[in-house]
Amino acid sequence: SAALREVVQKYPWFVTMLKRARMGELAFHNSVQTKLECVQEKEAIVIGNNLMPCLKSRKIISAGVDQWRLQNRAVGELFEEFPWMEGMFVEL
């Protein structure tokens, strides 16, 4: 979609984060406090890997996504910049 193209154009590492999040591999949770504008591929991999442990620790998917947002600064900043994105990750 045009909205996702805009995100990828601004943050090229987003594709890596999305792929890692969609893989759904259970990994050790490591919070990432890097600012959105400073995220690189290395942090994107960790942030993406962090989604599944957050989802597994909550009974409600939206609560898991919210935990992911709170524990990864860049995710919170991404959701603020693109408000529709939180709903996308709940549906993912």
Side-chain angles (χ1 to χ4, degrees):
S1 75
L4 280 176
R5 277 192 293 274
E6 178 186 351
V7 174
V8 171
Q9 187 174 21
K10 189 168 184 179
Y11 305 112
W13 51 262
F14 181 78
V15 173
T16 300
M17 184 188 78
L18 186 58
K19 284 180 182 178
R20 299 302 294 198
R22 288 199 63 223
M23 286 173 57
E25 293 179 357
L26 194 55
F28 290 108
H29 185 269
N30 297 308
S31 295
V32 177
Q33 295 305 315
T34 306
K35 292 181 182 181
L36 181 61
E37 62 210 28
C38 299
V39 171
Q40 300 293 320
E41 289 289 318
K42 184 176 100 177
E43 289 91 2
I45 290 168
V46 175
I47 293 168
N49 286 345
N50 285 345
L51 179 58
M52 186 53 69
C54 290
L55 293 176
K56 292 277 189 185
S57 70
R58 299 288 182 247
K59 292 182 181 180
I60 300 171
I61 292 171
S62 58
V65 171
D66 191 50
Q67 179 183 354
W68 184 54
R69 175 186 61 81
L70 293 171
Q71 293 181 351
N72 296 280
R73 180 178 180 170
V75 174
E77 292 174 3
L78 198 61
F79 288 0
E80 286 176 21
E81 187 172 343
F82 302 100
W84 52 267
M85 194 169 293
E86 186 168 359
M88 181 190 81
F89 278 99
V90 168
E91 294 299 318
L92 181 73

